Amino acid sequence: MRSHSYGDIMSGARKRKIPEVPAEPGLVVEDPASGFCGALVRLEHGNAVLEDRSGKHRVFPLGPAAFLLEGKPVTLVPARAPQPATPQPAQSASGSVHVDGLRARVARDSRIWVEGKHDAELVERIWGHDLRVEGVVVEPLDGVDVLSDAIAEFGTGPGRRLGVLVDHLVAGSKESRIVEGITDPNVMITGHPYVDIWEAVKPDVLGIEAWPRIPKGVEWKRGVCDALGWGETYEGWQRVLAAVGSFRDVETPLIGAVERLIDFVTEPAD
C-alpha cells in the first residue's frame, strides 16, 4: 500500500485569509481570550481600547486575528483619515463661477436697457457680478414708449450693441407692438410675460401663495400692496427685493431673457 505524506496533503490546502477591518470608533469587537466584548474607543501605542456596556475600559494588543467581529476573527487596522473634500468654486447669485478679487472691467460701449429702476435693481441683484466681469452697464429707460427714439439717439453699430429687457412682452400687448417696429440688427429685445418685474419673483420666497389678480384700471403695484397689506409701493419693493438671493428665486422666463441679453452684448464684434 502506497503511503501518503500528510505534509503533501496540507501543502495543497489554501490558508484562510483573515479579513482586515478598519478600526472605526464604535465598532463592537470581542477579545477571544478573555471574552471581553466592547465598542472600540481608540487605538493607541499598538493597542485597542474597548469599552463595555457598563463603561469599563480595557486595553488589548493589536495583532493578526486578535479580535472577533460577529463571531469571526478579524485583524483591526487603522482607519484611513477622511480625504478632504475637493473645494467647489463659489457661485455668484446668477449661478456663474464667482471671480474672487474682482476689479470691474472698463465699461463696454454696449449696454443693457431695462424699463425702470426696479428692473435695474433686480438685474443687479442677481447678475451684478457677471455684469462687472463683462463690463456691461444696465440703464433704466423709464418705459418702452420712447424706445425707438432712444435707440436712434444711442447710435448702435458693431461693438456698440443694445440689449433691451421688456416687461409684459406677450402677443397683442402694447409692448409687443412697439418691439415689432425695431429692426436694428445691433439691438436684441427680450422680455418676460409678467405685468411688472415684481411678478417675476417666485411667490413662495415672499411667503405668499400667488400674486394677487389686480383689476384693470388699478395701477398694478399699488393694487398688489393694498391686497397684501404691504403699505406704500416703495415698502412693497423693499420687501420683494430683499427676498431675492439668487436666480433660484425668480421665474425661468426672466432668467432666460437676461442671459440672452448678456450673451448678445458681450459677443465679439465681427
Side-chain angles (χ1 to χ4, degrees), residues 101-107 131-135:
L102 170 69
R103 294 185 62 184
R105 173 176 172 165
V106 175
L131 295 169
R132 285 186 288 278
V133 169
E134 298 291 351

Side-chain angles (χ1 to χ4, degrees), residues 36-252:
F36 186 91
C37 184
L40 179 66
V41 177
R42 62 183 177 274
L43 300 183
E44 59 179 18
H45 310 303
N47 298 305
V49 180
L50 304 184
E51 179 183 63
D52 67 10
R53 66 180 61 189
S54 64
K56 181 179 179 181
H57 285 199
R58 286 189 60 178
V59 179
F60 299 94
L62 293 173
F67 298 94
L68 300 179
L69 176 63
E70 298 179 351
K72 297 180 180 179
V74 296
T75 300
L76 294 185
V77 296
R80 291 183 179 180
Q83 296 297 315
T86 302
Q88 298 298 314
Q91 285 190 333
S92 70
S94 71
S96 65
V97 175
H98 188 277
V99 180
D100 292 328
L102 170 69
R103 294 185 62 184
R105 173 176 172 165
V106 175
R108 297 172 182 263
D109 287 338
S110 298
R111 296 285 187 272
I112 290 178
W113 287 352
V114 295
E115 286 202 45
K117 179 174 178 288
H118 292 176
D119 305 72
E121 289 178 346
L122 186 60
V123 169
E124 166 63 28
R125 183 87 165 187
I126 300 174
W127 289 276
H129 179 78
D130 306 57
L131 295 169
R132 285 186 288 278
V133 169
E134 298 291 351
V136 177
V137 175
V138 175
E139 299 173 339
L141 268 175
D142 294 326
V144 294
D145 293 341
V146 298
L147 181 57
S148 182
D149 291 340
I151 292 173
E153 182 180 348
F154 179 78
T156 61
R160 189 170 172 79
R161 290 179 163 185
L162 280 174
V164 185
L165 180 69
V166 177
D167 297 341
H168 200 222
L169 191 58
V170 295
S173 67
K174 175 193 74 172
E175 291 81 3
S176 67
R177 290 191 293 271
I178 292 172
V179 167
E180 286 170 2
I182 308 298
T183 59
D184 190 328
N186 293 302
V187 177
M188 172 182 279
I189 301 175
T190 65
H192 55 76
Y194 311 108
V195 175
D196 190 277
I197 196 74
W198 292 27
E199 199 179 8
V201 177
K202 293 179 179 178
D204 61 322
V205 306
L206 290 157
I208 59 177
E209 291 186 5
W211 286 100
R213 298 177 68 87
I214 307 303
K216 289 184 178 180
V218 177
E219 197 274 320
W220 192 85
K221 293 174 184 173
R222 177 71 270 161
V224 166
C225 290
D226 289 345
L228 298 175
W230 284 357
E232 298 299 321
T233 54
Y234 75 87
E235 295 173 300
W237 174 241
Q238 289 173 354
R239 182 189 294 261
V240 173
L241 187 61
V244 176
S246 77
F247 72 98
R248 296 180 180 86
D249 298 326
V250 297
E251 302 287 359
T252 302

